[in-house]
């Protein structure tokens, strides 16, 4: 729940920032000189890109949460079998062991979105966020029946 609140607050701050930047872009365009209109258009592009990025990330998080809920209903969520340090951080060797297991599971059934979801969690636990995201994107695509590039 804390993560959802943090995400909502961050998204709200970003939207406020985009509105603020967008209003400055409009003000520059209204000035009417060639230079200010050019800068105004350039400034307006930034919030558009930011809103697109925020929307794509929100969709990704929503779809990943849907998969997690479905997997939880099936009883297929990965069990937390990781050892932790006294400070509560995940032990790196433990994460690597679980990752090897999840990778073998995914190689055995590469068309199963469930195994890709669990692999994404293992990547995340091993602190490999870019690969975790790619694995989750693949799980989402497989779940949706979309063609997946290899």
């Amino acid at each position: 729940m804390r993560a959802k609140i943090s995400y909502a607050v961050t998204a709200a701050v970003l939207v406020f920032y985009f509105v603020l930047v967008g209003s400055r872009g409009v003000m520059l365009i209204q000035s009417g000189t060639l230079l200010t209109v050019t800068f105004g258009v350039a400034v307006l592009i930034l919030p558009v890109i930011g809103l697109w990025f925020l929307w794509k990330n929100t969709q990704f998080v929503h779809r990943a949460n849907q998969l997690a809920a479905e997997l939880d209903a099936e009883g297929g969520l990965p069990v937390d079998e990781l050892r932790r340090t006294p400070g509560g951080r995940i032990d790196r060797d433990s994460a690597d062991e679980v990752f090897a297991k999840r990778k073998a599971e995914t190689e055995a059934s590469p068309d199963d979105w469930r195994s890709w979801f669990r692999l994404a969690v293992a990547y995340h636990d091993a602190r490999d966020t870019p690969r975790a995201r790619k694995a989750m994107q693949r799980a989402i695509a497989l779940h949706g029946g979309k063609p997946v590039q290899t």
Side-chain angles (χ1 to χ4, degrees):
M1 185 61 162
R2 194 165 111 186
K4 287 182 181 181
I5 292 171
S6 296
Y7 189 83
V9 168
T10 303
V13 168
L14 280 172
V15 168
F16 175 74
Y17 171 75
F18 296 149
V19 168
L20 188 65
V21 169
S23 69
R24 298 298 184 242
V26 169
M27 288 164 70
L28 284 169
I29 290 171
Q30 288 174 342
S31 295
T33 68
L34 179 63
L35 184 63
T36 60
V37 169
T38 304
F39 279 136
V41 170
V43 167
L44 283 177
I45 290 172
L46 294 175
V48 170
I49 292 170
L51 285 170
W52 174 83
F53 185 73
L54 181 62
W55 174 250
K56 294 305 272 183
N57 278 307
T58 302
Q59 284 183 316
F60 173 77
V61 168
H62 179 69
R63 289 180 183 141
N65 285 337
Q66 284 178 326
L67 293 188
E70 187 173 331
L71 205 53
D72 186 29
E74 295 174 359
L77 278 179
V79 178
D80 186 1
E81 51 191 304
L82 299 167
R83 292 184 303 276
R84 306 210 183 261
T85 64
R89 299 190 96 193
I90 295 172
D91 178 59
R92 182 75 173 178
D93 294 332
S94 175
D96 289 342
E97 290 170 18
V98 172
F99 172 78
K101 198 176 357 175
R102 299 292 180 231
K103 185 176 180 191
E105 174 188 319
T106 304
E107 288 171 350
S109 56
D111 294 329
D112 183 18
W113 68 267
R114 293 162 186 85
S115 63
W116 281 99
F117 182 94
R118 289 187 282 266
L119 181 64
V121 172
Y123 270 127
H124 183 273
D125 290 342
R127 297 186 192 110
D128 191 347
T129 305
R131 287 190 178 134
R133 188 171 182 86
K134 286 191 186 291
M136 187 60 73
Q137 287 170 338
R138 188 170 190 125
I140 291 167
L142 286 169
H143 182 266
K146 295 178 185 166
V148 179
Q149 296 175 348
T150 54

